[in-house]
Amino acid sequence: MHEMSLCESILQVLEQSAADRGFARVRTVWLEIGQLSAVEPEAMRFGFEVVTRGSLAEGARLEIVELPGQAWCMQCAKTVRVQQRFHACPDCGGRQLQVTGGEEMRIKELEVD
Amino acid sequence: MSQGRMVQIEQDILSKNNEYAAANRRFFSEHGILALNLVSSPGSGKTMLLTRTIEDLKGELAVTVIEGDQQTDNDAERIRATGVKALQINTGKGCHLDGHMVGHALQRLKPADGGVLFIENVGNLVCPAAFDLGEAHKVTILSVTEGEDKPIKYPDMFHASDLMILNKTDLLPYLDFDVEKCIDNARRVNPGIRVLQLSARTGEGMAGWCRWIRAARQLALVEHPELAASA
């Protein structure tokens, strides 16, 4: 359900770009999705196919680049990898983490005609 | 097959919504309005909390309400019964309010300068976390009849919220709900989150919530000293 809303937002961006940049069809969409962004790539693919039917992106390929979750640990004073937002620092077990990467939900580039 | 042309986009998926939210935020700032986005699961007691809050505050503050539900006008009716302006937005198949819907509602509602706008989002702990409406704070309402692990099951919402309200505390004697555990879970996803415990039904703890609203409103009025005294 969440991914469906996101796919509708993606379609809005595609339609706007088509008007601004002068293209008629979208063949491929590259997304950058962070691991902490609560987006399920499979649900995204499904939603994308459904939402783009009858649009300028019908049948387009969806390429999802997953970006790792990263946080700055204040105890260790360094960047550590995190799998989930509520996980503790893998090195010191502390919870004073500032997420620095992995929240991305970005449309990176398009292949168009 | 020949290759198509490559177009660099580098745009956030929610960029369109974020533009609408920024316009709403500008409106709130220009008019000294405190906007609060209330989010929760269905059945947490949001609407009852809201009607009770309005009863407590309407004598001193100008209150306006935007109600989001998939269907029906029932909640807006409940709010209007308290005597304040309320507009219902039906999202249909949509599972959240977005910045565009709220912008339209503002044009129709015309909330008073220096007042408080409550936006009661669709009951859903997932999608509303991602959609900025231009509010000053997201407030998550969690009732003690739900699980104490909800903050870690739906971390994004609790991460995005500045305040968690634990509602229905009058039922605690009949439940196994572990308040400390729940607060600990919320702090795991958001170390800075503030927590208030209350029962909208008995009124216990409501005074603290009203104090929080008044304090937040003072911040919304920093650049509007002329509105500070008005109701």
Side-chain angles (χ1 to χ4, degrees):
Chain A
M1 190 146 75
H2 178 57
E3 283 76 5
M4 205 65 128
S5 323
L6 294 176
C7 288
E8 281 168 3
S9 300
I10 292 173
L11 184 59
Q12 278 186 338
V13 173
L14 297 183
E15 285 169 346
Q16 184 70 50
S17 309
D20 295 345
R21 312 273 192 101
F23 56 84
R25 269 195 59 76
V26 178
R27 286 198 200 183
T28 314
V29 177
W30 278 269
L31 301 182
E32 283 183 331
I33 301 293
Q35 273 181 353
L36 305 180
S37 67
V39 171
E40 198 54 58
E42 276 319 303
M44 200 75 166
R45 282 181 219 287
F46 173 78
F48 185 77
E49 196 203 313
V50 173
V51 166
T52 54
R53 265 178 216 159
S55 78
L56 78 172
E58 178 159 6
R61 203 154 52 95
L62 188 64
E63 294 285 343
I64 298 176
V65 180
E66 283 192 77
L67 301 178
Q70 289 187 326
W72 177 259
C73 175
M74 296 191 196
Q75 301 284 352
C76 303
K78 66 174 184 188
T79 295
V80 294
R81 289 283 291 272
V82 283
Q83 306 293 328
Q84 295 282 355
R85 216 187 268 292
F86 53 84
H87 281 182
C89 170
D91 287 358
C92 75
R95 290 206 187 138
Q96 280 186 293
L97 297 179
Q98 190 74 42
V99 170
T100 53
E103 296 182 300
E104 300 81 359
M105 291 197 289
R106 205 163 38 223
I107 307 172
K108 179 100 178 114
E109 59 183 345
L110 310 174
E111 182 190 6
V112 301
D113 290 318
Chain B
M1 202 167 102
S2 69
Q3 245 205 312
R5 173 163 66 102
M6 299 303 291
V7 178
Q8 298 290 320
I9 293 270
E10 298 284 355
Q11 235 186 75
D12 194 281
I13 290 177
L14 295 172
S15 53
K16 198 81 194 159
N17 181 70
N18 293 343
E19 282 170 28
Y20 288 119
N24 295 344
R25 192 162 277 122
R26 210 154 42 236
F27 175 87
F28 297 137
S29 151
E30 284 166 4
H31 294 269
I33 293 168
L34 169 67
L36 299 176
N37 183 358
L38 307 184
V39 291
S40 79
S41 315
S44 67
K46 260 197 322 284
T47 311
M48 181 165 176
L49 172 67
L50 204 43
T51 53
R52 181 86 198 214
T53 307
I54 292 166
E55 294 296 348
D56 290 354
L57 290 177
K58 69 180 181 188
E60 60 177 292
L61 296 174
V63 177
T64 314
V65 177
I66 295 175
E67 279 290 335
D69 279 300
Q70 286 197 316
Q71 301 291 343
T72 83
D73 188 41
N74 295 354
D75 282 0
E77 281 298 324
R78 283 170 69 186
I79 300 294
R80 281 188 211 111
T82 66
V84 307
K85 277 199 287 190
L87 183 76
Q88 181 80 47
I89 300 176
N90 283 138
T91 56
K93 67 184 169 69
C95 48
H96 57 271
L97 292 174
D98 64 34
H100 193 213
M101 296 173 188
V102 170
H104 270 301
L106 290 174
Q107 286 176 3
R108 290 182 54 192
L109 265 178
K110 298 186 175 51
D113 289 4
V116 179
L117 172 73
F118 293 103
I119 304 169
E120 187 181 335
N121 218 314
V122 179
N124 174 355
L125 280 178
V126 185
C127 310
F131 287 81
D132 185 10
L133 305 178
E135 73 276 357
H137 306 281
K138 280 192 183 69
V139 176
T140 301
I141 296 124
L142 181 65
S143 62
V144 298
T145 52
E146 303 170 54
E148 60 242 346
D149 55 354
K150 270 216 171 146
I152 52 174
K153 280 183 172 167
Y154 301 94
D156 288 277
M157 188 59 92
F158 291 84
H159 179 75
S161 297
D162 294 321
L163 176 67
M164 173 172 86
I165 291 181
L166 268 184
N167 191 18
K168 307 189 188 178
T169 52
D170 54 310
L171 297 177
L172 279 172
Y174 313 103
L175 303 165
D176 295 324
F177 189 88
D178 185 337
V179 171
E180 289 311 311
K181 186 91 190 289
C182 179
I183 294 174
D184 187 54
N185 282 334
R187 298 232 157 99
R188 280 170 72 185
V189 293
N190 181 358
I193 198 165
R194 303 197 67 136
V195 181
L196 291 172
Q197 299 179 45
L198 58 82
S199 162
R201 195 171 74 86
T202 66
E204 193 186 359
M206 285 296 292
W209 161 231
C210 290
R211 279 197 299 275
W212 187 92
I213 294 169
R214 288 189 198 101
R217 176 172 174 261
Q218 287 306 315
L219 280 179
L221 290 176
V222 164
E223 286 173 54
H224 298 276
E226 76 284 2
L227 296 172
S230 69

